[in-house]
Amino acid sequence: MGGTRQKLQTVGVETVAIVATPADRARLYYRFHPVDVPLAADPQLTTHRAYGAPNRELTQEIWQAVQAKYADLAHELGVAATDMRSMHARLDGFQPSASDEEDFQRHRVQFVGAFLVDREGIIRWANIEGAEDGLAGIDKFPTDDELLTAARALAG
């Protein structure tokens, strides 16, 4: 995100990331995995709801799609992992805590959104994970070029 943030700054766009976990847990995680983007913690998903990022029940179909994405990523990275939790542990040493499990139960399946918001707080451009491709679109996010193109179009 830091590289994307720097590119967006060149066209006058500031970036903030909002994570759906308590601030203390986010601080701990990002202390070991720093990002060059201002972060906000929203464990109640208030921002996600306000911006229309979908939240769904965890169905078998969704679970299979998510597990398949993790299996693809593990294969791509050459990591022997049988599920997403073991992959996280192998990649970055992250061990889920009881509060992470509580977040998972409370948040169900929270899709991710990227938004360009003007100075008045109006959403001028949005990209919601899976909105165009359904479950095939899980983990597909806009590229830096797509974000820059959208930002430039709004500025012009």
Side-chain angles (χ1 to χ4, degrees), residues 17-22 40-55 103 106-107 110-111 113 115 123 128:
I18 301 172
V19 295
T21 194
D42 183 7
Q44 300 307 318
L45 302 172
T46 304
T47 309
H48 294 75
R49 283 192 302 277
Y51 280 73
N55 183 282
D103 283 349
R106 184 174 61 250
H107 296 162
Q110 179 59 60
F111 291 86
F115 304 91
I123 298 170
I128 304 273

Side-chain angles (χ1 to χ4, degrees), residues 1-150:
M1 289 281 313
T4 302
R5 176 185 184 210
Q6 290 174 348
K7 292 174 186 177
L8 287 170
Q9 284 176 325
T10 67
V11 294
V13 175
E14 270 304 324
T15 303
V16 64
I18 301 172
V19 295
T21 194
D24 59 337
R25 187 68 176 155
R27 280 187 203 98
L28 176 63
Y29 182 84
Y30 290 108
R31 180 180 318 140
F32 295 100
H33 306 283
V35 293
D36 188 23
V37 175
L39 292 170
D42 183 7
Q44 300 307 318
L45 302 172
T46 304
T47 309
H48 294 75
R49 283 192 302 277
Y51 280 73
N55 183 282
R56 304 280 187 259
E57 291 290 336
L58 180 60
T59 64
Q60 187 64 28
E61 181 183 24
I62 292 173
W63 184 247
Q64 288 173 346
V66 169
Q67 288 290 88
K69 294 294 183 176
Y70 271 95
D72 291 346
L73 181 59
H75 178 75
E76 181 181 315
L77 297 174
V79 175
T82 57
D83 60 30
M84 64 182 164
R85 291 182 184 188
S86 65
M87 188 178 83
H88 278 295
R90 289 177 187 265
L91 288 177
D92 62 11
F94 179 77
Q95 294 292 331
S97 70
S99 68
D100 295 317
E101 184 60 32
E102 290 168 10
D103 283 349
F104 181 74
Q105 294 302 320
R106 184 174 61 250
H107 296 162
R108 308 177 318 164
V109 178
Q110 179 59 60
F111 291 86
V112 176
F115 304 91
L116 293 175
V117 181
D118 70 14
R119 295 179 194 279
E120 287 77 39
I122 299 170
I123 298 170
R124 298 297 181 178
W125 179 90
N127 179 282
I128 304 273
E129 178 184 22
E132 291 184 23
D133 300 325
L135 293 180
I138 288 178
D139 88 342
K140 290 185 181 173
F141 305 103
T143 65
D144 288 359
D145 286 339
E146 290 170 325
L147 285 165
L148 285 165
T149 298

